[in-house]
Amino acid sequence: MKRYLKYFMILLLISQVSEARIVNGSVTCGSKKLSGVVVTDGKNFTQTGRNGKFCFEICDSAEFVYIVTPSGYVADWSDGSPAFYRKTSGQSSFTFDLQKMNSVKSSYNIIAVGDPQPRSKAHFDEFAGEPLEDIRKCVDAMSAPAVGIVLGDITFDKYYLMKNWKEKIVQAGIPFYPVIGNHDHNRDFNDDALSAVTYQESFGPADYAFCIGKDMVLVLDNIIYHSRSGYELGYTAQQLDWIRGLMKFVPKKADIYVAQHSPLNGRHYAGMIINHDVLLDILKGHEVTFMSGHNHTNGVFEYAPGVMEHNVAAICGTWWDVYHCTDGTPRGYKVFTKEGDDLSWYYKSIGRDRDFQYEIYSLGQTRLHPDCIVVNVWDYDPMWTVQWYEDGKPMGAMRQVEEYSPLHEADMKAKYDAVGKKPSDYRLTRKAGHYFAAKPSQTAKKVTVAIKDRFGNEWKEEMVINSVF
């Protein structure tokens, strides 16, 4: 009787609101009906009942009906991208049959990949070689469940390569969630919504969320696209309204990850992006970790207690030219591990083990500090320490400086000299602030560098001094 009364009320609502569009559906995992699952059309929200079913009014203009995948489950990702969405065209009923993940416990891993950005099939094939194999091996070594996130610029304006990405990324062995980047917006359109349609055809809505452990990952399109050279960085009022609605369903104790293309402090850290303060206010009360790409450099920032950002260097190095990114960070990705309430992370360089966290340059090797021993600590944050010893004597902290990577400079010179060309300005070696310098005395025979990260991991390396002065 209650069931018939429910449907009678729905029919009554339809008759009263001629403009309304009512849809229904269900969320299951095999024979199990999943209750409390959040469903949205990008503006409106509902949740599934105890029977796993939902019914709500969506906007006439809605392109998708999609779910916030609950913790412990994942949508089918066999085609290379989780199918947590359904297109609305001509449909009024939507079913989602999810898969169980390895565990519903609070421990998990997230692999964050920045800017694959292939401009050709040859570039993509290079990604599908050693980098993808490196990710797969990393996943195989994990005991807790894992997901991947690609932080935008899945292509370099070559949209046909989105298909290649989906075909190959399944080899990583985990679901990989996409983020739209500026180069994933179709430059044939000078409109934000239209430019995202090509991406949406392959990956679905650009703004979405999924749960993992006790926490939630919020994926956002923070490229406000006007044209290829005229986009802005930030969040629209419509996006912010959707996030406000979503947060009503998020437990207060949940930590939030925000996966987006541009960092909060913009292109090459030139200034905070549009409406960043509004977003932070909406997320207030939660521990928030931003994951971003876009800059092809590595940086870790703490904006306020409980609000951090990891701007992840590009897995393509310098746009597939050389191994290092322009700031001297090796091509790689970031691994986040949550165990209970504790979050840790490290930067994983392609082809190297996880202890490869720095590079040391001897006297005369660097452009700005030729009289110093210089260390490049690409994943540094203020909780790290970088100390040095001269002939066994403690000398204290090395001085943090801005510097250019001599390895990147040398590799780029060799690359372009070989073909008699000059690289584009954006590919040139870029000065970065994750370098440390110490000037040994003229009588020094050896220098020892001691590095310790915020999690207590330690590295020590000794260098024999051969003075060049």
Side-chain angles (χ1 to χ4, degrees):
M1 185 66 183
K2 289 183 179 178
R3 185 177 63 180
Y4 293 112
L5 179 61
K6 175 182 177 181
Y7 285 110
F8 173 77
M9 294 300 293
I10 292 172
L11 291 172
L12 181 62
L13 179 61
I14 294 173
S15 66
Q16 290 176 342
V17 186
S18 58
E19 295 295 322
R21 183 182 177 190
I22 304 295
V23 300
N24 61 71
S26 63
V27 183
T28 59
C29 179
S31 60
K32 184 177 182 179
K33 300 173 175 61
L34 301 181
S35 63
V37 179
V38 177
V39 189
T40 181
D41 66 346
K43 181 178 180 180
N44 304 295
F45 294 87
T46 190
Q47 284 182 289
T48 56
R50 285 183 296 178
N51 59 0
K53 295 183 178 181
F54 64 87
C55 181
F56 74 133
E57 178 183 340
I58 68 171
C59 299
D60 286 337
S61 59
E63 296 288 333
F64 303 97
V65 167
Y66 52 108
I67 63 172
V68 178
T69 312
S71 181
Y73 299 91
V74 64
D76 177 39
W77 51 279
S78 59
D79 79 338
S81 183
F84 58 88
Y85 60 93
R86 300 288 184 268
K87 293 183 179 180
T88 60
S89 55
Q91 302 294 319
S92 60
S93 185
F94 308 91
T95 60
F96 299 88
D97 188 30
L98 305 183
Q99 303 170 4
K100 201 86 165 62
M101 291 189 74
N102 293 341
S103 173
V104 296
K105 296 179 181 179
S106 57
S107 296
Y108 58 82
N109 299 281
I110 298 175
I111 292 179
V113 173
D115 299 80
Q117 208 160 336
R119 203 169 199 166
S120 65
K121 178 65 163 49
H123 283 170
F124 184 81
D125 288 345
E126 189 168 349
F127 164 79
E130 185 182 22
L132 183 54
E133 178 65 11
D134 196 290
I135 294 171
R136 187 193 65 77
K137 288 180 178 178
C138 183
V139 170
D140 286 347
M142 292 174 172
S143 56
V147 299
I149 301 175
V150 56
L151 296 167
D153 285 0
I154 302 169
T155 76
F156 197 165
D157 303 321
K158 302 298 182 183
Y159 315 112
Y160 71 91
L161 290 173
M162 292 179 179
K163 178 182 177 182
N164 297 63
W165 169 270
K166 294 178 68 174
E167 288 175 349
K168 286 292 186 180
I169 197 61
V170 292
Q171 295 178 11
I174 56 173
F176 248 89
Y177 290 88
V179 176
I180 188 171
N182 53 293
H183 288 287
D184 302 317
H185 285 77
N186 193 325
R187 62 179 178 174
D188 290 338
F189 299 96
N190 295 327
D191 176 86
D192 190 38
L194 289 176
S195 68
V197 169
T198 302
Y199 167 91
Q200 291 172 339
E201 288 174 351
S202 291
F203 298 109
D207 298 315
Y208 63 95
F210 63 93
C211 297
I212 186 167
K214 299 176 182 177
D215 307 320
M216 186 184 76
V217 178
L218 176 61
V219 178
L220 298 178
D221 173 8
N222 69 347
I223 308 297
I224 305 171
Y225 201 86
H226 306 304
S227 66
R228 184 184 181 191
S229 58
Y231 60 85
E232 297 176 280
L233 304 173
Y235 315 101
T236 66
Q238 181 179 347
Q239 279 180 297
L240 295 168
D241 284 343
W242 177 75
I243 297 166
R244 286 189 189 93
L246 174 63
M247 293 306 295
K248 294 176 182 177
F249 300 92
V250 179
K252 291 184 178 180
K253 292 185 177 181
D255 293 344
I256 307 295
Y257 302 91
V258 180
Q260 57 189 24
H261 184 54
S262 167
L264 277 188
N265 49 6
R267 182 66 171 158
H268 297 309
Y269 319 132
M272 302 301 280
I273 65 176
I274 297 169
N275 286 328
H276 74 279
D277 51 341
V278 182
L279 176 62
L280 290 174
D281 187 62
I282 295 172
L283 302 179
K284 188 184 298 181
H286 296 270
E287 294 279 331
V288 182
T289 300
F290 287 84
M291 305 172 179
S292 58
H294 192 46
N295 286 339
H296 291 240
T297 56
N298 209 61
V300 181
F301 309 93
E302 187 165 9
Y303 300 112
V307 180
M308 292 193 70
E309 176 155 37
H310 298 263
N311 188 216
V312 182
I315 200 167
C316 67
T318 300
W319 291 269
W320 302 108
D321 273 353
V322 297
Y323 181 75
H324 289 79
C325 297
T326 57
D327 70 331
T329 304
R331 67 179 185 178
Y333 51 92
K334 202 89 176 257
V335 179
F336 298 85
T337 299
K338 187 74 174 292
E339 295 179 324
D341 293 327
D342 297 323
L343 178 66
S344 62
W345 56 83
Y346 69 94
Y347 186 87
K348 175 66 175 67
S349 299
I350 300 300
R352 307 298 294 265
D353 63 37
R354 65 177 292 172
D355 275 332
F356 183 60
Q357 296 295 323
Y358 64 92
E359 288 175 329
I360 299 181
Y361 317 118
S362 191
L363 298 173
Q365 285 192 291
T366 57
R367 190 195 305 187
L368 302 181
H369 302 86
D371 58 348
C372 293
I373 301 295
V374 176
V375 188
N376 177 8
V377 189
W378 43 81
D379 210 33
Y380 172 85
D381 69 59
M383 294 294 289
W384 288 53
T385 59
V386 184
Q387 308 281 328
W388 72 294
Y389 300 77
E390 181 176 285
D391 294 328
K393 178 183 177 182
M395 303 299 289
M398 296 183 74
R399 178 168 53 99
Q400 189 170 5
V401 298
E402 290 189 324
E403 187 52 273
Y404 298 88
S405 166
L407 295 179
H408 184 266
E409 288 183 313
D411 287 348
M412 287 294 287
K413 186 177 187 305
K415 169 86 176 180
Y416 281 85
D417 282 357
V419 293
K421 294 182 178 180
K422 291 185 177 180
S424 303
D425 287 348
Y426 69 88
R427 295 173 186 250
L428 296 176
T429 309
R430 181 176 294 275
K431 186 165 57 176
H434 45 68
Y435 290 82
F436 297 81
K439 183 178 179 180
S441 67
Q442 291 184 344
T443 59
K445 293 181 175 58
K446 64 180 180 180
V447 165
T448 303
V449 175
I451 301 170
K452 185 176 181 179
D453 73 7
R454 63 160 54 218
F455 305 111
N457 300 303
E458 297 183 76
W459 300 269
K460 237 178 203 186
E461 187 162 335
E462 183 180 287
M463 176 173 287
V464 176
I465 299 298
N466 294 308
S467 177
V468 296
F469 302 101

